[in-house]
Every structure is written in C-alpha cells, then in structure tokens.
Amino acid sequence: ARVCASVVAVGAVGCDRAPTIADGLYYGYEPMANLSPHDPGAYWYRENEFTVDNGRVHLEGYPRTLINGQVFASASDGGFPVFEGSLEQVAGRTLVSLRKVSCDYCGELVDDPLPSRKVREYIVFFEPTGAFEVDRVTYHLEPNASLHWVPRDAAVNADP
C-alpha cells in the first residue's frame, strides 16, 4: 500500500491534494535596483507582506534600504504595489493568482490602468523549512530580523 499523507512546508499534503498555504501573514524580501546613486553599497528591496485568509491573498510591497546594517523605510522611492488574488489547487499544484489593484508612487501603465485587468498566475514552490516561494520571492511566517523595518518610535521592551 502507498502512504501519501505527510506534513510538508506550510500545509498538509495528501495523495489527492497539493500542499497549500495556511492562513496567516508571511514576509518576503524582493531585491530592487539600487535607487541611491550617491551610495552604491545600499541594498534596495521590497519587504513584502503576503496575507492569506480563507483562500484569498493580499500582497503589499514596501520599499526598504539596507545601509551599513541599518534598515530605512522609503517614503516614496520604489513604489508601494498592492495585489489581490486567490489560492487554487490545480493538477496537484498550488497556484496563486494575483492582480495589481493599486501602486502609490509607481508609474501607471497607459495600456493597463489600475486596478489592472491582467491576472498573473504563479506556481507555489514549497520548501522543507515551511517557507514557500511565489514569483522568485521566498516567504516565511517570521520576518528576517536583519531586513525587517521597525519604526524608530516603536515601543521597546524595557526591564522596569
């Protein structure tokens, strides 16, 4: 007899179903071109927040810069794309369908104004660590401490 059920990555896997992504907030880091010509060592990226809620997907990208080990949030450079979509299981694979619904500080395409009419589908790749990849960006339940931006005025745990 063949045994198929196991736990892989973020969701359960069985003989008839592909792995899936559990409801929750996931963090991914998408490299960008350096937008700091005065600082060629700056690392620009989008800190993406990928939210899954009952099969619905919401993805927001926030431009960040890593300079000398310190993370800075961009107020406008790099744009702030927002996507909406869904998870679907097709032929033993998990797919994410996404449509760009807004993008602050982004150039708008004349042939496809926002919200976009174009829906893009991506195959989800699962990793043994529990992470998953969508469109070349790997997502985790916990943010990467060295890339995660924390507002300077955020409360800090202090011993009384």
Side-chain angles (χ1 to χ4, degrees):
R2 194 172 95 173
V3 177
C4 292
S6 65
V7 176
V8 175
V10 197
V13 178
C15 291
D16 300 324
R17 293 182 47 101
T20 190
I21 304 170
D23 287 357
L25 172 61
Y26 301 86
Y27 298 90
Y29 301 89
E30 176 183 3
M32 297 170 50
N34 185 339
L35 301 176
S36 302
H38 59 281
D39 192 351
Y43 173 63
W44 280 80
Y45 59 97
R46 276 200 184 87
E47 183 171 32
N48 292 339
E49 293 184 357
F50 188 101
T51 305
V52 177
D53 183 17
N54 200 29
R56 303 295 310 159
V57 174
H58 181 85
L59 173 61
E60 291 193 44
Y62 302 96
R64 308 284 191 235
T65 312
L66 180 65
I67 301 173
N68 297 324
Q70 209 174 2
V71 176
F72 299 92
S74 172
S76 61
D77 293 331
F80 297 79
V82 177
F83 298 85
E84 297 286 341
S86 61
L87 287 173
E88 183 179 9
Q89 296 194 348
V90 177
R93 292 187 165 185
T94 301
L95 300 178
V96 171
S97 299
L98 294 172
R99 180 175 71 100
K100 190 184 288 187
V101 294
S102 69
C103 195
D104 290 345
Y105 299 102
C106 298
E108 190 166 325
L109 299 174
V110 175
D111 63 338
D112 189 28
L114 297 176
S116 176
R117 293 180 310 271
K118 296 178 183 178
V119 175
R120 291 181 169 75
E121 289 189 336
Y122 303 95
I123 296 172
V124 179
F125 296 97
F126 293 92
E127 298 183 5
T129 61
F132 62 91
E133 180 184 314
V134 174
D135 192 24
R136 298 181 307 275
V137 177
T138 302
Y139 292 90
H140 301 266
L141 271 171
E142 297 296 324
N144 179 326
S146 63
L147 296 176
H148 182 62
W149 179 69
V150 178
R152 297 199 195 295
D153 59 350
V156 177
N157 291 338
D159 294 326

